[in-house]
Amino acid sequence: MAKATRVGFFRRIHEDVCTARHRDPAARSSLVILLSYQGVHAMWYHRYAHWLWTHRMKTFGRLVSQYARRATGIEIHPGAKIGRRVFIDHGMGVVIGETSEIGNDVLLFHQVTLGGTSMSPGKRHPTIGDRVVVGAGAKILGAVTIGNDARVGANSVVVKDVPAGATALGVPAVIREHPKKLEAKTAASAVDDGDSHCTPPPDWSVET
């Protein structure tokens, strides 16, 4: 999983808007995305909450995350680590746990849960690699790893590691390490042919 690179505040916002336009064929303008896309707004709230969480202001970070939950319908724990160009499409009902780690260029659909299976402290939530697509309603539970370029089908329940480039389908999820082209395409709510999940999107002139 590639490390997220620090960029300027306004350039990061520009990158988020471009990501939404690239990922969502229904996006009509940057202004609409800025004003109404709760998946984009949730990422902005999370960055602030995470900064507070990592600068010894955990109570305030938690309060910001709970406000974001009410405002967007998306609950992201301020302790979660999230990379660049992550887009939450539709967004409602997404839950991301405290020790979750998400790489760059990840696409999550609505009702996705990155949850835990243990009450013990420490790493208990998933690690999601780069360029992963997670379909609507999927549940990824426990300290499992989803490899780079993998796909998780809609409504699947994943409780074990998914190798890089593989597709996970079903309840419990069955791992297809060499999925058929059609199976891989439809596994995560139909990412279109113009969106190659194996190639990062352009960086839109943001310095790395």
Side-chain angles (χ1 to χ4, degrees), residues 103-125:
N104 301 322
D105 306 300
V106 171
L107 174 60
L108 306 176
F109 287 91
H110 55 285
Q111 301 291 335
V112 164
T113 298
L114 305 184
T117 57
S118 170
M119 300 298 290
S120 301
K123 178 66 171 171
R124 60 190 186 279
H125 297 102

Side-chain angles (χ1 to χ4, degrees), residues 20-121:
R21 295 199 71 167
H22 173 76
R23 289 291 199 175
D24 184 6
R28 292 292 180 263
S29 72
S30 296
L31 180 62
V32 169
I33 293 169
L34 281 167
L35 297 178
S36 68
Y37 270 48
Q38 69 266 36
V40 175
H41 297 170
M43 296 307 304
W44 295 344
Y45 283 121
H46 173 69
R47 287 181 199 138
Y48 180 43
H50 184 70
W51 185 90
L52 292 169
W53 185 266
T54 56
H55 286 77
R56 300 184 179 181
M57 292 179 279
K58 292 188 175 182
T59 297
F60 292 107
R62 191 65 170 154
L63 290 174
V64 170
S65 73
Q66 289 303 295
Y67 174 79
R69 177 179 182 267
R70 291 193 295 272
T72 67
I74 297 168
E75 181 171 349
I76 307 176
H77 192 284
K81 299 176 182 178
I82 301 179
R84 291 170 56 185
R85 298 180 298 275
V86 173
F87 179 51
I88 303 175
D89 196 6
H90 300 291
M92 185 62 68
V94 169
V95 177
I96 299 175
E98 177 185 6
T99 62
S100 299
E101 299 177 56
I102 301 176
N104 301 322
D105 306 300
V106 171
L107 174 60
L108 306 176
F109 287 91
H110 55 285
Q111 301 291 335
V112 164
T113 298
L114 305 184
T117 57
S118 170
M119 300 298 290
S120 301

Side-chain angles (χ1 to χ4, degrees), residues 126-129 132 140 144-148 150-152 158 160-162:
T127 297
I128 309 296
V132 171
I140 305 175
V144 299
T145 298
I146 310 299
N148 295 341
R151 295 192 177 201
V152 177
V158 179
K160 60 182 179 180
D161 292 350
V162 178

